[in-house]
Amino acid sequence: MTAVEVSFSYLDACLGVLVAWGAIGVAGLIRPRSVEFAGRTLFPLGAVCGVMLTVVAIASIAAPTERAVLPVGLPDLPFHIRRDALSAVFLALLGGASAGISVFSAGYFRKGEGALPGLLCLEYHVFLAAMGLVLIADDAYAFMVAWETMALASYFLVTTQHRIAEIRSAGFLYLLIAHVGAIGILLSFGVMQGGSWQFTFDAMRSAHIAPEWASAAFCLALFGFGAKAGLVPLHVWLPEAHPAAPSPVSALMSGVMLKTAVYGLLRVSFDLLHGVQWWWGLLALAFGLGSAFYGVIFAAVQTDMKRLLAWSSIENLGIVFTGIGLTLVFQGCDMSALAALALIATLYHALNHAFMKSVLFLGTGSVLHATGQRNLGRLGGLIHRMPWVTWLTLVGVLAIAGLPPLNGFVSEWLLLQAFLFAGEVPQAFVNMLLPVGAAVVALCTALAGYVMVKFFGVIFLGQPREASLAGAHDAGVMERIGLLWLAGACIALGLLPVQVVHLLGSVVQELLHVGPGDWGVDGWLLAPPAARHASYGPLALFAVTVAVVVLGAVGVRVWFGRRARRGPAWDCGFVRLDSRMQDTAEGFGQPIRHMFEPFFSMQRELPTPFDALPRYRVTVGDRIWGLVYAPLGAVVRGTAEFAARLQQGRIATYLLYSFVTLVVLLALVL
Amino acid sequence: MAPLSFDLQLLNGCAALLLLLSFSMLSQRRIVNLVNLLALQGALLCAATLLVAVRTGQGHLYLSAVLTLALKVVGLPLLLHRLIRRLNVYWDAEPVINASGTMLIGLLIVVFAFGLAQPISALASTATRSTLGIAIAVILLAFLTMITRRKAMSQVVAFLSMENGLFFGAMSATYGMPMVVELGVALDVLVAMLVLGVFFFQIREQFDSLDLHHLESLKETE
């Protein structure tokens, strides 16, 4: 590449945005009680910063790597930062998703809900800035500081309504697992420095470590980042923390924060470690597929809308990790072209999930504000009351269900394409197993469609299940703009895959040292890895779909227009149809609950024939809690109680401890 | 072995008496007597300091002798006597270990302390180094007194006696601590005494007694 005179560095611009976020956060403390100040001024400013970050990051994806050393940190241990293609893609994701979420937040936060608006503004923008710093950190020290700041800021955001005991315990669980994960990451960095005791990423890149130690580093990183991403069995915090947090925070955590884990694992496995071994990929693939499957069947049986979305996040992160696993398998077998395909699918899905999950979480936020209900059993029929939210959420729902021409389809299709070449893997055992993985991905995608039909249908379609829903109001202007931005991104990512893949190509070039080749046919047809295999032209598909719908509508109107009339829905001759006869969330999930019964721990309360007011209740629990966490907790508690025997409560005993210690130490000196 | 000069013999006599006093404090159950013994210990300490000051001609030792006299012989015992009257605690309860058992443990401690002091006094260059073992023994015996007592009051007296032992040890090893440190320690002891005095009232307020076994219920597990 020829040297180009750049008047400003992209890295400086990114850093400027992060500093601006920090400043906006601190500015929230000027008038901490004013919703107007935080909402009408600061959050929109934060959104502007987000848009700027997106623009800078997209412009810089193909630019050469930049580095800098910041004058902050400990003496002799300054923060190193670096922007390369991988960072840029995730910075674009952060900026793009956060812009929409910030605008939405500007209209979302109300007076008297938990923490002060100014504090919320501070935590929110520190959270954003910390995530940005994670993405540009270039030494383990800066990375860990940013990582922990991110965890802490999000913990405070989750526990905004800290007066509710359940929310406090959800926050604690989140913080606990975040820290356990951080220990894994820290140990992984410790292994990767390879005896040089230099903790810059450059030192780790050039360190020569034995293959078994590299494997150890990878496993630790998979554990640490898996805890943040919510891989089964480290997922337990997700379904607790997401419903506890305010909706924009859930959107930010699910859409953006989980992606920092993806970034971290990609950074460690392709950039910092070399000599990828194919069985690493198998490990990531197993955990990814397990999470995807486990997440989607649990999502299908949830009755709380935010909990449903949290389980869906577990599923989607599982798919992303499946992509990472597949990339590692191909890379470990020296099949760079296929590794490039899998990596692009991974990055694409990470990008997609950021936008579509944000739309859905923000949609639930609007519903929650309008109705005060999170329980699917008390919602329904909101399409007439909240048309904006309904239609924009529909875009997200279709996207996450993987329907063309939206973005979810593109990434899942690319991933399945990558799976189709698994037969070429030279390891006999692996190429027998991989088709099973492809089948699991296909199953998960289908079930995700099922989950989304349930989510959308129960909330927005049918009749209102509660009388109070009649008073529901549509979202405000700011909230609509935020949702529009994110839904627009879903559509753009779906319609312009060739351009997006071209941008992602720089990352592939950087991490795998191969170009992905030119997959675009005439700029509009996506054909990986070659046109003779398969190709996809979303714009043509979109045009045909629109044409068919429009022609159909026009045709019906022309031919039957005079005879058309609006009448009541056919009630099969039963005249007293009411909202209780609709399919419920429980009812919708029942087939899944029945089919995958061994995975759930269920408690049923069945009515007896003599009940005057018969009630049927079923609670679905997570078996992993009982299998892993409860015994672990019991061991910890047991150890603590054993240690508590030291606490006798008698001053004489405590004095005796000091005395014995003194005498023993003196005797040692003697 | 050359005969010791008269003042050194006097000093050794003081040290022996200090050890004797420590033992009597270990077995004394009347708190008023305990305080008197503490005052006596302070007086002996003062005398020992004066002896060393005369022998070595170190000016600051005179000052610390005066300080000892004011604080440990007059000030603190007066304060303690007043507390005893106001709190109406004259007797300690039955000790955790009986008196003869405590004495035997005390003997073992003295042996241990002398063994410990031997290599240190071989290194020290002061004329008073032979009394270092006694100083360590006084510290450990005071510690033992604290462990075996039940009443907060007697524990505080033992604590002050431990401070005496430390002071004596510093003097025999290095002719006393620097003046600043000594002043600091003296102030600390005074403040600690005042704080503990407040605690006594609080504890009695809560439990109607100064017996510390009531505090055992304050632990977290059953």
Side-chain angles (χ1 to χ4, degrees):
Chain A
M1 190 174 265
T2 53
V4 183
E5 279 291 317
V6 189
S7 55
F8 75 100
S9 104
Y10 292 118
L11 185 56
D12 291 344
C14 296
L15 202 60
V17 170
L18 302 191
V19 172
W21 270 336
I24 291 170
V26 174
L29 296 181
I30 297 173
R31 291 174 61 194
R33 288 175 191 282
S34 164
V35 178
E36 271 66 39
F37 181 59
R40 306 293 170 263
T41 315
L42 295 178
F43 274 101
L45 269 180
V48 171
C49 290
V51 175
M52 275 160 52
L53 183 63
T54 319
V55 172
V56 171
I58 290 177
S60 69
I61 287 180
T65 303
E66 297 162 323
R67 333 153 170 264
V69 180
L70 294 184
V72 287
L74 295 177
D76 297 330
L77 210 58
F79 282 5
H80 295 72
I81 56 172
R82 179 174 187 270
R83 184 212 52 76
D84 55 12
L86 181 62
S87 302
V89 165
F90 281 88
L91 283 171
L93 182 154
L94 167 67
S98 74
I101 298 170
S102 290
V103 174
F104 183 92
S105 308
Y108 181 83
F109 289 116
R110 307 276 206 279
K111 231 182 177 60
E113 285 191 358
L116 293 176
L119 272 183
L120 216 56
C121 174
L122 175 69
E123 292 155 6
Y124 181 91
H125 287 99
V126 167
F127 185 34
L128 288 181
M131 285 195 283
L133 189 58
V134 164
L135 300 177
I136 57 173
D138 195 34
D139 63 299
Y141 170 55
F143 187 92
M144 289 315 296
V145 168
W147 188 262
E148 289 293 283
T149 312
M150 179 176 91
L152 276 181
S154 51
Y155 165 77
F156 285 115
L157 285 169
V158 166
T159 53
T160 306
Q161 297 184 339
H162 54 86
R163 295 196 198 290
I164 302 172
E166 282 171 18
I167 289 185
R168 282 201 305 275
S169 72
F172 176 74
L173 185 63
Y174 167 52
L175 201 62
L176 182 72
I177 295 193
H179 277 91
V180 170
I183 291 171
I185 298 169
L186 196 64
L187 290 177
S188 168
F189 284 140
V191 173
M192 277 189 290
Q193 50 83 20
S196 68
W197 298 106
Q198 293 287 311
F199 287 92
T200 60
F201 284 175
D202 270 337
M204 291 179 194
R205 283 182 193 104
S206 54
H208 295 283
I209 53 177
E212 55 271 26
W213 281 110
S215 301
F218 175 79
C219 292
L220 285 167
L222 183 65
F223 172 81
F225 291 118
K228 184 61 96 182
L231 284 193
V232 176
L234 292 167
H235 65 287
V236 284
W237 63 272
L238 253 153
E240 303 300 324
H242 281 313
S247 292
V249 175
S250 310
L252 207 54
M253 284 173 70
S254 177
V256 186
M257 188 188 76
L258 301 188
K259 305 309 176 310
T260 60
V262 176
Y263 165 82
L265 192 62
L266 287 175
R267 175 68 73 199
V268 167
S269 33
F270 294 105
D271 188 14
L272 303 185
L273 288 172
H274 8 238
V276 167
Q277 296 171 31
W278 60 268
W279 65 265
W280 298 358
L282 227 48
L283 203 62
L285 202 63
F287 279 109
L289 288 171
S291 306
F293 176 69
Y294 204 77
V296 78
I297 58 169
F298 270 84
V301 299
Q302 297 305 311
T303 54
D304 176 317
M305 59 181 176
K306 292 184 79 177
R307 207 174 276 264
L308 181 147
L309 291 181
W311 281 103
S312 158
S313 289
I314 296 173
E315 179 232 332
N316 278 285
L317 264 291
I319 289 179
V320 173
F321 272 72
T322 306
I324 297 179
L326 204 55
T327 315
L328 285 165
V329 168
F330 286 139
Q331 182 72 1
C333 298
D334 288 324
M335 301 161 78
S336 299
L338 292 175
L341 177 58
L343 182 58
I344 283 192
T346 306
L347 292 170
Y348 212 133
H349 198 72
L351 269 177
N352 289 343
H353 182 246
F355 291 100
M356 52 205 191
K357 190 47 70 63
S358 300
V359 172
L360 297 183
F361 265 121
L362 296 184
T364 60
S366 291
V367 169
L368 187 60
H369 259 181
T371 64
Q373 287 294 344
R374 281 202 334 235
N375 189 342
L376 290 171
R378 297 174 186 276
L379 292 165
L382 291 175
I383 189 167
H384 298 301
R385 305 276 162 204
M386 312 179 70
W388 277 89
V389 174
T390 306
W391 289 103
L392 291 173
T393 306
L394 182 63
V395 173
V397 161
L398 292 178
I400 208 163
L403 292 185
L406 288 161
N407 57 352
F409 174 77
V410 182
S411 50
E412 282 170 3
W413 182 72
L414 284 173
L415 187 63
L416 285 171
Q417 286 293 321
F419 264 115
L420 288 182
F421 294 97
E424 296 173 19
V425 171
Q427 311 284 346
F429 187 51
V430 179
N431 67 25
M432 281 190 291
L433 274 179
L434 285 185
V436 179
V440 174
V441 171
L443 173 67
C444 291
T445 315
L447 286 175
Y450 182 89
V451 170
M452 284 303 138
V453 169
K454 166 177 166 174
F455 174 77
F456 188 77
V458 174
I459 297 179
F460 295 107
L461 304 183
Q463 290 186 6
R465 291 182 174 78
E466 296 275 315
S468 61
L469 296 184
H473 54 85
D474 208 351
V477 179
M478 293 304 244
E479 296 170 59
R480 285 179 205 173
I481 296 174
L483 282 169
L484 261 178
W485 167 271
L486 294 166
C490 288
I491 295 171
L493 283 169
L495 292 184
L496 304 170
V498 179
Q499 286 72 8
V500 178
V501 166
H502 181 73
L503 280 176
L504 297 180
S506 307
V507 183
V508 174
Q509 179 72 42
E510 177 187 279
L511 293 185
L512 306 178
H513 311 295
V514 288
D518 190 18
W519 294 351
V521 179
D522 304 331
W524 299 111
L525 207 55
L526 188 64
R532 68 192 155 82
H533 287 295
S535 59
Y536 168 59
L539 275 179
L541 182 75
F542 184 57
V544 169
T545 314
V546 170
V548 167
V549 170
V550 169
L551 283 179
V554 169
V556 167
R557 194 143 288 238
V558 167
W559 283 312
F560 305 106
R562 238 171 298 155
R563 280 182 283 157
R565 63 191 159 83
R566 188 177 280 266
W570 185 48
D571 53 12
C572 308
F574 187 81
V575 285
R576 283 172 42 233
L577 277 186
D578 66 10
S579 62
R580 290 200 58 196
M581 293 172 187
Q582 301 174 91
D583 203 355
T584 57
E586 287 87 350
F588 212 95
Q590 196 274 339
I592 301 290
R593 217 167 57 221
H594 190 69
M595 277 182 264
F596 300 105
E597 199 165 355
F599 292 95
F600 306 114
S601 72
M602 274 186 282
Q603 286 176 323
R604 283 202 192 81
E605 273 177 44
L606 295 175
T608 65
F610 307 105
D611 276 342
L613 286 167
R615 285 186 69 83
Y616 168 77
R617 187 199 299 274
V618 58
T619 45
V620 180
D622 190 347
R623 271 190 195 282
I624 287 185
W625 187 263
L627 287 176
V628 180
Y629 288 86
L632 211 62
V635 168
V636 170
R637 175 164 275 275
T639 318
E641 269 166 10
F642 182 72
R645 289 191 198 174
L646 274 176
Q647 193 197 16
Q648 288 282 328
R650 291 174 57 172
I651 289 179
T653 318
Y654 298 149
L655 286 170
L656 194 65
Y657 293 152
S658 321
F659 186 72
V660 168
T661 311
L662 183 69
V663 167
V664 166
L665 285 179
L666 284 174
L668 280 179
V669 172
L670 194 63
Chain B
M1 197 172 172
L4 291 170
S5 62
F6 180 65
D7 52 351
L8 263 187
Q9 288 197 25
L10 256 179
L11 187 67
N12 283 355
C14 281
L17 282 175
L18 270 178
L19 190 59
L20 195 64
L21 281 178
S22 283
F23 270 101
S24 48
M25 282 174 89
L26 198 55
S27 58
Q28 183 56 255
R29 279 183 57 206
R30 252 195 99 180
I31 293 180
V32 179
N33 288 355
L34 211 54
V35 175
N36 289 339
L37 286 172
L38 181 76
L40 202 56
Q41 208 179 32
L44 274 171
L45 202 59
C46 177
T49 316
L50 271 178
L51 275 173
V52 176
V54 168
R55 186 185 162 82
T56 62
Q58 297 217 6
H60 78 88
L61 281 182
Y62 287 108
L63 202 62
S64 50
V66 172
L67 204 65
T68 310
L69 189 69
L71 200 63
K72 290 175 186 163
V73 185
V74 185
L76 288 178
L78 274 181
L79 204 65
L80 286 169
H81 276 300
R82 240 183 70 193
L83 271 176
I84 290 169
R85 272 199 306 279
R86 287 188 48 191
L87 291 168
N88 198 19
V89 274
Y90 292 97
W91 286 86
D92 200 341
E94 185 64 26
V96 182
I97 312 169
N98 66 12
S100 49
T102 320
M103 289 304 213
L104 283 174
I105 298 173
L107 273 179
L108 286 179
I109 284 175
V110 172
V111 172
F112 176 76
F114 272 82
L116 196 69
Q118 218 157 29
I120 306 174
S121 42
L123 285 175
S125 56
T126 55
T128 52
R129 58 180 182 255
S130 50
T131 54
L132 189 63
I134 290 185
I136 296 177
V138 169
I139 297 170
L140 293 181
L141 285 174
F143 214 141
L144 189 64
T145 316
M146 276 173 85
I147 293 175
T148 51
R149 293 314 165 103
R150 286 213 172 142
K151 286 270 158 73
M153 198 66 154
S154 30
Q155 284 189 334
V156 167
V157 173
F159 173 75
L160 292 172
S161 155
M162 192 157 78
E163 208 275 328
N164 283 346
L166 277 172
F167 184 88
F168 191 61
M171 201 176 64
S172 41
T174 61
Y175 292 142
M177 294 176 262
M179 201 61 216
V180 184
V181 180
E182 227 159 82
L183 283 174
V185 172
L187 194 69
D188 278 354
V189 169
L190 202 62
V191 170
M193 194 54 232
L194 291 175
V195 172
L196 287 170
V198 174
F199 270 133
F200 291 155
F201 284 105
Q202 290 295 332
I203 292 173
R204 198 181 60 157
E205 195 94 332
Q206 284 294 323
F207 300 108
D208 287 327
S209 156
L210 274 182
D211 199 332
L212 288 176
H213 79 258
H214 294 295
L215 294 179
E216 286 170 24
S217 58
L218 293 178
K219 62 178 183 172
E220 291 202 9
T221 52
E222 297 81 44

